Amino acid sequence: MKLFDKKNIDFGMILTQHGLSKTSFRKILIELFYTKKYSLSVDEIITNLSFPIDKVSVYRALNAFEKNGLIHKVPDMANLIRYALCQSECSFEKHLHNHAHLLCSNCNETYCINDFKIPVVNECKGFIIDNLKIILEGSCVDCQQSYK
Amino acid sequence: MKLFDKKNIDFGMILTQHGLSKTSFRKILIELFYTKKYSLSVDEIITNLSFPIDKVSVYRALNAFEKNGLIHKVPDMANLIRYALCQSECSFEKHLHNHAHLLCSNCNETYCINDFKIPVVNECKGFIIDNLKIILEGSCVDCQQSYK
DNA sequence: CAATAAACGCAAATCAATTGCATTTATTGA
DNA sequence: TCAATAAATGCAATTGATTTGCGTTTATTG
Ligand SMILES: [Mn+2]
Ligand SMILES: [Mn+2]
Ligand SMILES: [Zn+2]
Ligand SMILES: [Zn+2]
């Protein structure tokens, strides 16, 4: 569970720091990412909002957030896209993701893991490697419970 | 380059061994996977054929091949699906892929690598892991050449 | 506060992939 | 080998996620 005190976080400031304009929807969207523990799909975002929002606006906001280094994409089991908060200092210029992801093959929930030891590879068969995508598929704790 | 003598490979037999019926198109399709070095997209498959084929038939054949352990999916940079020959002894019952993939971020070519040391993980934060997907993104040799 | 730029909502378009159905081809067993 | 049965194919239509165009609304700037 991600513990934080909303009073201590200025979501408008976070948007500004990432070069994003502060609209009421965007402030609520970034707050939603801080409130929810893990990744979100477009449909989950809409479900979690207390007001109607056009799906297109969600897509455009997510694309802007991603371009400016606030969130990053994670694929689910069906190769559909989910989004998760960037954990390190990402920005428009530098978008680094040196962490792996847990993906529950049952509920599609995604968990960013920072303490997974990522193998260091720079070269393989002449191929120059500049990014590793590591997805660990399995069962999340909740889904293990419900199988008992 | 994958070297093999077509005379020595009975593609019909390969289909039979995987529980797939032998149609003229399927024999050519499996031969194409053996001929081409790496992964193929649906469009690349159609381009490489000397006769017209309905895209739907390609999709259906690929789905059948995948279900029966002859090929497996690999995502490209845009999360579109490419297909590559299974390297180990896959079948309908057991579909194991303990290898990583190189993915060229320029040309989307995919290379299966069997000698990449995959970290062993069984558990992480209560999550039960039963499959690792490792994609090494970078530049293939051909694309490095064309940038010079 | 006015001028400018960006975001939003709605409708339509795009694009990969799937589905239904009639027809053709493959498999099977007498 | 041949008819009966099952599976694959072609074509048209559909699905579903995502994107685009455009007029309107909201935010930013000075
Ligand atoms: Mn992450
Ligand atoms: Mn492979
Ligand atoms: Zn789960
Ligand atoms: Zn390349």
Side-chain angles (χ1 to χ4, degrees):
Chain A
M1 197 178 312
K2 181 171 290 176
L3 298 170
F4 74 97
D5 186 347
K6 287 182 188 177
K7 299 194 199 78
N8 291 332
I9 300 187
D10 184 341
F11 296 108
M13 179 62 69
I14 294 177
L15 291 171
T16 302
Q17 286 169 342
H18 286 267
L20 294 159
S21 54
K22 299 180 279 189
T23 69
S24 53
F25 167 55
R26 288 183 170 194
K27 276 184 273 195
I28 290 167
L29 181 59
I30 179 66
E31 179 175 338
L32 183 60
F33 274 105
Y34 273 84
T35 306
K36 290 288 160 183
K37 303 171 204 162
Y38 314 116
S39 70
L40 292 166
S41 68
V42 169
D43 286 341
E44 287 173 358
I45 288 169
I46 291 174
T47 303
N48 276 285
L49 295 176
S50 58
F51 52 91
I53 182 84
D54 195 294
K55 203 177 268 202
V56 175
S57 301
V58 179
Y59 276 110
R60 280 196 264 235
L62 290 171
N63 285 340
F65 281 19
E66 196 219 355
K67 185 159 78 153
N68 290 27
L70 199 48
I71 60 177
H72 63 86
K73 294 178 180 175
V74 247
D76 75 358
M77 291 298 288
N79 269 318
L80 299 188
I81 297 174
R82 302 176 66 84
Y83 292 87
L85 272 182
C86 287
Q87 313 221 320
S88 49
E89 297 301 322
C90 290
S91 67
F92 178 75
E93 296 84 32
K94 190 161 68 88
H95 219 326
L96 268 183
H97 294 289
N98 58 343
H99 64 276
H101 291 101
L102 294 171
L103 169 57
C104 178
S105 50
N106 179 252
C107 69
N108 263 324
E109 197 52 84
T110 309
Y111 303 70
C112 304
I113 44 176
N114 287 307
D115 55 354
F116 177 76
K117 195 173 181 178
I118 289 183
V120 179
V121 195
N122 294 314
E123 193 267 346
C124 184
K125 295 178 180 174
F127 202 100
I128 295 176
I129 295 160
D130 39 49
N131 190 30
L132 289 207
K133 278 187 183 161
I134 300 187
I135 296 181
L136 298 81
E137 291 176 356
S139 301
C140 74
V141 177
D142 290 348
C143 288
Q144 291 170 43
Q145 296 294 327
S146 50
Y147 283 149
K148 275 183 191 164
Chain B
M1 197 179 311
K2 181 170 294 177
L3 297 170
F4 74 97
D5 186 347
K6 287 183 190 177
K7 299 195 199 78
N8 290 334
I9 301 186
D10 184 341
F11 295 109
M13 179 63 68
I14 293 177
L15 291 171
T16 302
Q17 286 170 341
H18 286 267
L20 294 158
S21 54
K22 299 180 278 189
T23 70
S24 53
F25 166 55
R26 289 183 170 195
K27 276 184 273 195
I28 291 168
L29 181 58
I30 180 66
E31 179 174 340
L32 183 60
F33 274 104
Y34 273 84
T35 306
K36 289 286 160 183
K37 302 171 206 162
Y38 313 117
S39 70
L40 292 166
S41 67
V42 168
D43 286 342
E44 286 172 0
I45 288 168
I46 291 174
T47 304
N48 275 285
L49 295 176
S50 57
F51 52 92
I53 183 85
D54 194 293
K55 201 177 271 202
V56 175
S57 303
V58 179
Y59 277 110
R60 280 197 263 235
L62 291 171
N63 285 341
F65 281 20
E66 196 219 355
K67 184 158 77 152
N68 290 26
L70 199 47
I71 60 177
H72 63 86
K73 294 178 179 176
V74 245
D76 75 358
M77 292 298 287
N79 270 316
L80 299 187
I81 298 175
R82 303 175 65 84
Y83 292 88
L85 272 181
C86 287
Q87 313 221 322
S88 50
E89 298 300 324
C90 290
S91 67
F92 178 74
E93 296 83 32
K94 191 161 68 91
H95 220 324
L96 268 184
H97 293 289
N98 58 342
H99 64 275
H101 291 101
L102 295 170
L103 169 57
C104 178
S105 50
N106 180 252
C107 69
N108 263 323
E109 197 53 85
T110 309
Y111 303 70
C112 304
I113 44 176
N114 288 306
D115 55 354
F116 177 77
K117 195 173 181 179
I118 289 182
V120 178
V121 195
N122 295 314
E123 194 269 344
C124 185
K125 296 178 180 174
F127 202 100
I128 294 177
I129 295 160
D130 39 48
N131 189 32
L132 288 207
K133 278 186 183 163
I134 300 188
I135 296 181
L136 298 80
E137 291 177 356
S139 301
C140 74
V141 177
D142 290 348
C143 288
Q144 291 170 43
Q145 297 294 326
S146 50
Y147 282 149
K148 275 183 188 164

